[in-house]
Structure formats: C-alpha cells, structure tokens
Amino acid sequence: MHVHNNQKAAAASTATTAADPGTDSVRQQIEALGPWFHNLHLPGGVQTLPKHFLGGDFPNFKWQEIKPFVPEDLSGWRVLDVGCNAGFYSFELARRGASVLGIDVDAHYLAQARWAAGQLGMESQVEFREMQVYDLARSGETFDLVWFMGVFYHLRYPLLALDLLAERTRRIMMFQTLTMPGDSVYTDTADCNIDDRTPLLESGWPRMAFIEHRLANDPTNWWAPNHAGVEAMLRSSGLRIEARPGHEIYLCVPDAQAQGARAIYGSQYESATGVIRGGG
Ligand SMILES: C[S@@+](CC[C@H](N)C(=O)[O-])C[C@H]1O[C@@H](n2cnc3c(N)ncnc32)[C@H](O)[C@@H]1O
C-alpha cells in the first residue's frame, strides 16, 4: 500500500492533550508508530486514527456490516488474515475465539499490529508474520477462514494469489476488492466466437481494468474488476459466493463442483510457484 504520506496529517491528529499520564504515553507511542491505516480502539478509549481519511471509524464501519455473516463462536478455527495491516480484523476474529495468523509485506504495519496485540493482551491468540501472500504457496497450512480483504487489487499477480488462497480455504473466504461501477452480469460466457468478439464489450462481461499508473494516487492499485469479473474469478478459483455482506465484499465457500479450471491452470501455478501440488 502507498498511503504513508497521505496519512501523516491524519496520524498527527491522534495526539491530544489528555490528562491521564498513562493514556498520554500510549498516545505518544501511537504517534511514534504512525502513520496508521487502521483505527484501532485500545483500552482507555484511545484510538489510533479517529479521523480517518476514508471517513468515519475505519474499518470498524465495514466490520459492522460484515460481522453478522461471521460465526459468533470461532473457537477452534484457524484464521488467515491476508494483508492484515495493523490487525483490526485479526483482533476482531480472535475475540470470537479464533487462532489467527496475520500476514503483511509491510514491516511498518506489522510493528503497529504487534504493539497493538500487546496493548490488547491478545499476543497468545494472534501471530503476525512478515510475508508475501505468494509465500503461502510454500506452506501446506490450510485455514478455516481466509480473510482476503483490501489486497487483491494491490497484487500484480492477483489470480495466482486467489488460486493459492482458495486452495487453503477450508470453510469460508471473506473477499473484498476495489471494483469498477456496475452490478450487471452477462451470463452467456461459455464460449465466444473468434470472429465475433462483440460480447466481450457487453457491460456484464467479466472484466478487470488494468491500472498502469495510479488510482487514488496509489501506484500499487493494479486492477479493478467489475462485479461479473469478481464472480467469475471466484468461481474459476473453486469458490462459490454465499453472500454479499457489503459493497465489494463477497463471502465464499469452497465449491467441490467448481474445480474444473484447476486442471487447466495447474501447470502454470506449479511453474510460477515452484510447488508441485499433486492430485490436480
Ligand atoms: C488496503 S490495505 C488493507 C488492509 C486490511 N486487509 C483491510 O481490509 O483493512 C492493504 C494491505 O495489504 C498489504 N499487502 C499489499 N500487498 C501485499 C502482498 N503482496 N502480500 C501481503 N500483504 C500485502 C499492505 O501492506 C496493506 O497492509
């Protein structure tokens, strides 16, 4: 993510003149660890980024939409939080009883997450690891719940990541991506005549816009699929959409009937990752 500079002013707003010396010290640590992207609510009513540039209490307002769709009791569940950032979702899922692995490429955000775990007394339930999503190809671990929010469109190789995460999802994947406007779905996509490719121009044809330079001044935003494209990619990776908890958010489950595409892409996956999976 490329938001550090954009957030400096907002992060500075976390410093106030609270009277409690303990709280003051926490606020100073928050400022030293900034800039922040997640507004975490810490003990003593302290927040890490109360005036978020995305508006409101982010990502808590998204969590409020999603949480009715997540089992209240996640005891015994192993959860993977991809691109965990400062750990907002990792902590919420751990509060429901899950054992959580949060991964991120950015050491800056992981330092925030580890510090916050200490503040929240949640170090035994949540582990944070610095790694690329693609590194998971070399791990055999699977997860009951894969939380894949806010990362897909930041990836240069998004389908490689989606394929390997789908294979590691035992029960649920919560998927979110930046999208193009529009909800239409053109269903007649089984084949397309090479001499008449006009169906590809239909508004509901699955597609993904490539962002060569910037979107929202962020050069790490590479892709913006449309809704039909999200549906098609999730299906093609062996997932079935069960619910849409919010805008651009998809709750998926593994679909044993939808493994067909793996036979077609399998050798590319293995060549790209160097990992032979076997079993097809
Ligand atoms: C837009 S933030 C989303 C944070 C959080 N998942 C959420 O939904 O609020 C994207 C996060 O993904 C991380 N990230 C980007 N590319 C990644 C990659 N290839 N592997 C792992 N994490 C990545 C970034 O460092 C950043 O923390």
Side-chain angles (χ1 to χ4, degrees):
M1 192 163 45
H2 190 74
V3 289
H4 294 185
N5 289 339
N6 297 348
Q7 293 170 6
K8 277 191 175 132
S13 73
T14 57
T16 67
T17 52
D20 179 342
T23 307
D24 271 353
S25 144
V26 172
R27 288 187 204 283
Q28 280 162 13
Q29 292 174 63
I30 289 171
E31 203 172 344
L33 283 162
W36 292 77
F37 178 62
H38 277 172
N39 184 37
L40 302 178
H41 292 242
L42 300 174
V46 184
Q47 299 179 39
T48 53
L49 185 54
K51 291 176 187 151
H52 202 286
F53 62 93
L54 290 176
D57 183 7
F58 178 89
N60 187 40
F61 69 82
K62 276 196 187 287
W63 170 244
Q64 295 307 318
E65 283 183 321
I66 306 168
K67 72 179 192 183
F69 294 84
V70 180
E72 279 183 27
D73 184 2
L74 295 177
S75 305
W77 284 48
R78 179 71 170 147
V79 170
L80 174 69
D81 184 3
V82 182
C84 59
N85 202 268
F88 178 92
Y89 293 114
S90 296
F91 298 132
E92 291 299 339
L93 298 166
R95 278 193 191 105
R96 295 189 170 207
S99 149
V100 182
L101 172 63
I103 67 163
D104 206 291
V105 280
D106 195 325
H108 170 88
Y109 291 125
L110 289 167
Q112 297 177 345
R114 292 189 184 111
W115 174 82
Q119 294 294 311
L120 295 164
M122 299 185 79
E123 285 148 313
S124 61
Q125 295 124 281
V126 188
E127 180 199 352
F128 294 108
R129 243 182 253 165
E130 185 176 340
M131 60 192 275
Q132 276 284 352
V133 61
Y134 312 108
D135 292 332
L136 289 160
R138 284 168 288 284
S139 150
E141 187 169 5
T142 58
F143 300 86
D144 297 291
L145 171 59
V146 171
W147 203 262
F148 189 24
M149 302 249 321
V151 181
F152 181 82
Y153 53 95
H154 285 299
L155 302 173
R156 180 81 181 184
Y157 312 101
L159 278 178
L160 180 59
L162 182 59
D163 286 342
L164 73 87
L165 290 171
E167 285 187 22
R168 279 154 188 75
T169 302
R170 290 203 290 263
R171 303 198 215 199
I172 295 174
M173 177 187 285
M174 195 65 77
F175 176 89
Q176 186 271 341
T177 178
L178 185 86
T179 57
M180 284 192 262
D183 233 16
S184 58
V185 176
Y186 182 86
T187 51
D188 185 15
T189 58
D191 201 352
C192 185
N193 189 321
I194 195 160
D195 294 320
D196 178 16
R197 282 166 259 172
T198 50
L200 304 184
L201 298 172
E202 295 288 337
S203 68
W205 187 277
R207 61 167 64 111
M208 189 146 82
F210 176 63
I211 299 150
E212 183 183 358
H213 300 297
R214 284 176 163 71
L215 190 148
N217 199 33
D218 185 342
T220 77
N221 284 327
W222 291 108
W223 300 100
N226 62 2
H227 164 68
V230 174
E231 278 193 342
M233 287 186 286
L234 291 170
R235 261 197 315 270
S236 179
S237 293
L239 297 164
R240 190 177 69 244
I241 298 168
E242 291 269 285
R244 294 177 65 185
H247 177 56
E248 304 182 328
I249 304 173
Y250 300 80
L251 188 158
C252 316
V253 298
D255 184 354
Q257 308 302 312
Q259 300 297 315
R262 194 175 294 173
I264 303 167
Y265 71 70
S267 83
Q268 290 190 41
Y269 174 101
E270 291 172 0
S271 177
T273 61
V275 175
I276 309 298
R277 298 164 304 165

